[in-house]
Structures are given as structure tokens and as C-alpha cells.
Amino acid sequence: MTQAPVRTRTVRRRHDREIVALAVPAFGALVAEPLFVMADSAIVGHLGTAQLAGLGIASALLTTAVSVFVFLAYATTAAVSRRVGAGDLQAAIRQGMDGIWLALLLGAAVIAVVLPTAPSLVELFGASDTAAPYATTYLRISALGIPAMLVVLASTGVLRGLQNTRTPLYVAVAGFIANAVLNVVLVYGAGLGIAGSAWGTVIAQCGMAAVYLWVVVHGARRHGASLRPDLAGIRASAQAGMPLLVRTLSLRAILMIATAVAARLGDADIAAHQIVLSLWSLLAFALDAIAIAGQAIIGRYLGADDAQGARDACRRMVEWGIAVGVVLGLLVVLSRPVFLPLFTGDSTVKDAALPALVIVALAQPICGVVYVLDGVLMGAGDGPYLAWAMLLTLAVFTPAALLVPTLGGGLTALWAAMTLMMAMRLVTLWLRTRSGRWIVTGATR
């Protein structure tokens, strides 16, 4: 009679240890990434308004370019973790090397596009005549570091798949510190201005990529995995990543539509929207850390032919997602009086942001489950379903968001539409998870 409850508690504790061991370092690494831009902004901001505006435009372009290829981390994590579960570390690292070679090829292609088109891209983003030269300079120099950035993404996926999220945390923290020091030295010490900031970021990113490559190459030699590029493997990595690319582009489209609608509501609403969106993005880091743990854990269980272990882990991570979502929602409600004054003293902007923040708080448990199930299906290699589900979500969100200026309700209604978007994602992900069709065991899907 008591055997089942005891076993359940034991299984939960094991899953809890795994989730914490992977999610906490992953959260630290995720938070360190936006600190790069914050450090650059703080240092360049003292050069002048035009320089800071130029940095803002160039950073937006670079962030968009790199985020589009985040599938390099996601797809690699799923593929590597499956082979780890199957007990074939040599094949796991070989799979990771295919992802890294793909990252280098994509990085070279992006450089070839960005360098000659940098002025046009800056103009497309509406840069002023004074800011445009600085934006172009920063973009052209920083573009040289894109291959390193993509290698960092792919290598992070390799290590996550190997159930190692501590090394990415250490590398991210060291990279942030190096970036900040290099920026100060090159911008002010060497007098290079905004170009010095760009070079500092490139050097820091290349250093991070070098550390990752050293770790992966060391592992490859230890387990006898080939380091040579394999066209079939690179092609397979690209094919696995394509559905996740569609998913990412659909999500980016949702965020762009939301910002465009907020801009039509007026200056106060767009200002409030940016504040709310920044908090929403910060909360997403905490929830995404659990999703990253889910990618690694689920892939490992499926690779080990343990379907029941994958189901148990999924169930426990959903419980974590709900619990963390509730805590984050309460923190948002309690911190509103302190949070808003950090960004604005305008009472009109505060009045627009307050009800939107309440909606964000109420939606956090939904967001928690969505992020977890997203990570579970990524870990299972269920990319095609995720792509179609996100396209459907985009189709539902778009008319709802575009009707906001017509029907009224302001920013509150827009964030209600954002919550509808997350609810739609919840439904599609829950239906897939409940069906069990994502559970495909073996070293490959």
C-alpha cells in the first residue's frame, strides 16, 4: 500500500534535483546575455546621444540576426541529449560538431550579407542623419563576431545536451566581464569611441567561442569523435533546425506586431509597452531556464528508451512551471510600485502600464506551463509540430491585436491579446503532450 507513494516521492525528488542542477546555471547564463548590451549602452552612452542612438539601432539588428538562429542551440541540445541517453557519447559529440560547423557556415553567410548592406539596413530602421554613421560603424565591426556568436549558440546546445549547464554559465559571466573591461579600455583608453565598443564585443565573443571549442574538441578527442565537417551531418542539423526557425520567426513576428500596435496607441502607450515588455522578457528568462532543463532531460530519457521516465519528468516540470509562474506573478504585483519609477516619472505612462502589469502577473502560471511544454517538445525533437502550432498562434493573435486600436481598451487590451496568444500556445502544446505522439524513443527521432 505504501510502496507507490514512496516511489512517487523518490521519483519527484530525483527529477527536482535534475531540474535544479540544470535550470539554475542556465538561468544565470541567460541573464548574462542581455548584460552585454547593457554594458555597451552604459559605456557608449557617455560618448553622446547620437552614439547611443546608433548603438541602439545596430544592437537591435544584431540581436535579431542572432536570435533567428537560436535553433542552433535548441536542435543541438535535443539531438545530443538523445545520444547521451543512448549511451553513445562519441555520436553525441559528433552530432554537436555538425551543429558547430553549421554555425560557422551560417555566420560566414551573415557576414557576406551584412557588411555591404549595413548602411541600407541602418536606414531601414529609421536612423537619423547623426546616428546613422555610428550605427553603420558598430554594425559592420560587430558583424565580424557573428560566426563566434553562432558557435557559442551551437556549443551551448552541445553542453546542455551533455547535461552540463555550468560551463555555459561560467563562460557567459567571464565573457560579460571581459566585454565590459575591453569596452572601457578601447572606447576611452584607446580613444576608439563606438568602434572600440564594437571591437571589444567582437573580441569577447571570439574568446567565448574559443573556450567552447576547446571544451568540445577536448571531449571529441577523449571519446574518439571526428572533428572534420560532415556534409550529411551538417545537412541533417539544418533540416532539424528549419522547423524551429519557423517557430522563432513566428514568435518574433508576434512581438513586432504587438510593438507596432502599441505605437499606434500613442506615445504614452508605446513607452508603457516597452516597460511592460522588458519585464515580460526578464520573467521569460526564469521560465526558459526550466525549459532548457526540459530539453536536456527529455532528450536523455527518450534516447535511453525510457518513455515512462520522459512522462514523469514532463509532469514534474509542468508542476515546476506552474509553481514558478505563480511566484513570479506575485512578485510582479508586489513590485509594481517600485518597478515603474525605475523607468519613468510620467504619471500617464504609469497609468497605462499598471493594468497591463496586472495582466502580465495573472498570465505567469500560463507562461510557466507554455515554456515547460515548449522545452519538452523541443527535447523530443518535435520541431515540425512546434512550427505549425506557432503559425496557428500567429494567425489567431494577429487579428486580435490589430483590432485593439479600433475596439479600444488601449494597452490593457493589447496585453490581453498577448495573454490570448500564450493561452493559444498552451492549448496547442497541451494537446500534443497529452496525445503522447511526441514520445519517440531511440538515439534518433
Side-chain angles (χ1 to χ4, degrees):
M1 296 274 304
T2 61
Q3 290 293 327
V6 170
R7 180 186 178 280
T8 300
R9 287 196 297 270
T10 301
V11 170
R12 285 183 174 180
R13 283 197 294 269
R14 185 177 75 247
H15 289 316
D16 289 345
R17 288 194 296 270
E18 289 181 334
I19 293 167
V20 170
L22 292 172
V24 172
F27 173 71
L30 288 169
V31 171
E33 291 173 11
L35 292 179
F36 268 80
V37 177
M38 291 179 63
D40 288 0
S41 299
I43 294 167
V44 171
H46 292 286
L47 294 175
T49 302
Q51 288 91 331
L52 183 58
L55 172 66
I57 293 167
S59 295
L61 285 164
L62 287 166
T63 300
T64 300
V66 174
S67 65
V68 164
F69 298 113
V70 72
F71 70 84
L72 288 167
Y74 294 159
T76 305
T77 298
V80 171
S81 61
R82 271 184 176 269
R83 285 164 175 77
V84 169
D88 192 348
L89 289 178
Q90 183 184 71
I93 297 175
R94 175 64 258 180
Q95 181 76 43
M97 285 304 305
D98 292 335
I100 291 172
W101 280 112
L102 177 61
L104 287 169
L105 291 174
L106 291 172
V110 173
I111 287 179
V113 172
V114 171
L115 287 182
T117 62
S120 299
L121 291 171
V122 167
E123 183 180 354
L124 184 65
F125 263 58
S128 66
D129 292 339
T130 54
Y134 297 113
T136 302
T137 296
Y138 190 93
L139 181 59
R140 277 182 165 158
I141 296 173
S142 294
L144 300 176
I146 286 179
M149 296 180 196
L150 300 189
V151 167
V152 167
L153 282 178
S155 301
T156 300
V158 176
L159 295 181
R160 288 173 181 171
L162 293 171
Q163 317 296 297
N164 176 2
T165 56
R166 290 184 178 274
T167 299
L169 171 61
Y170 300 148
V171 175
V173 172
F176 166 71
I177 295 172
N179 177 66
V181 172
L182 286 167
N183 266 255
V184 171
V185 171
L186 295 176
V187 172
Y188 297 110
L192 296 179
I194 194 169
S197 177
W199 281 116
T201 300
V202 169
I203 294 170
Q205 291 286 356
C206 289
M208 292 170 65
V211 172
Y212 274 122
L213 288 174
W214 181 85
V215 172
V216 174
V217 168
H218 180 72
R221 287 176 174 168
R222 187 169 68 244
H223 295 286
S226 173
L227 299 175
R228 295 179 179 178
D230 176 58
L231 292 180
I234 294 171
R235 191 182 304 112
S237 294
Q239 290 172 346
M242 283 305 297
L244 296 180
L245 174 61
V246 173
R247 169 201 167 274
T248 301
L249 290 174
S250 299
L251 183 56
R252 297 292 300 186
I254 287 171
L255 297 177
M256 289 175 65
I257 290 169
T259 300
V261 170
R264 292 176 60 188
L265 297 175
D267 289 347
D269 285 295
I270 184 62
H273 175 72
Q274 289 304 114
I275 294 171
V276 176
L277 186 62
S278 67
L279 177 62
W280 191 71
S281 300
L282 178 62
L283 298 173
F285 285 129
L287 298 173
D288 203 28
I290 305 175
I292 287 170
Q295 293 172 29
I297 293 171
I298 294 298
R300 192 188 74 232
Y301 275 116
L302 293 177
D305 293 323
D306 188 353
Q308 187 57 48
R311 290 190 187 93
D312 292 340
C314 175
R315 187 177 303 109
R316 189 55 177 162
M317 281 183 283
V318 167
E319 293 171 355
W320 268 80
I322 294 172
V324 173
V326 169
V327 171
L328 292 177
L330 290 173
L331 288 175
V332 171
V333 172
L334 295 174
S335 65
R336 284 183 306 158
V338 178
F339 176 75
L340 285 175
L342 294 176
F343 290 87
T344 182
D346 190 328
S347 60
T348 306
V349 175
K350 289 181 182 178
D351 290 342
L354 276 172
L357 285 175
V358 173
I359 292 177
V360 168
L362 293 174
Q364 286 312 295
I366 296 175
C367 295
V369 179
V370 167
Y371 275 85
V372 165
L373 294 183
D374 205 40
V376 166
L377 296 185
M378 282 185 190
D382 205 11
Y385 181 84
L386 290 172
W388 284 111
M390 189 60 79
L391 286 171
L392 178 61
T393 301
L394 174 61
V396 171
F397 170 78
T398 301
L402 294 179
L403 283 172
V404 168
T406 303
L407 298 180
L411 191 65
T412 304
L414 176 59
W415 276 92
M418 290 287 284
T419 302
L420 171 66
M421 178 269 293
M422 294 302 293
M424 185 67 189
R425 292 184 68 188
L426 175 61
V427 170
T428 56
L429 295 172
W430 178 77
L431 288 174
R432 184 64 168 183
T433 307
R434 188 185 181 193
S435 73
R437 295 175 65 183
W438 57 280
I439 299 177
V440 179
T441 59
T444 59
R445 184 178 173 86

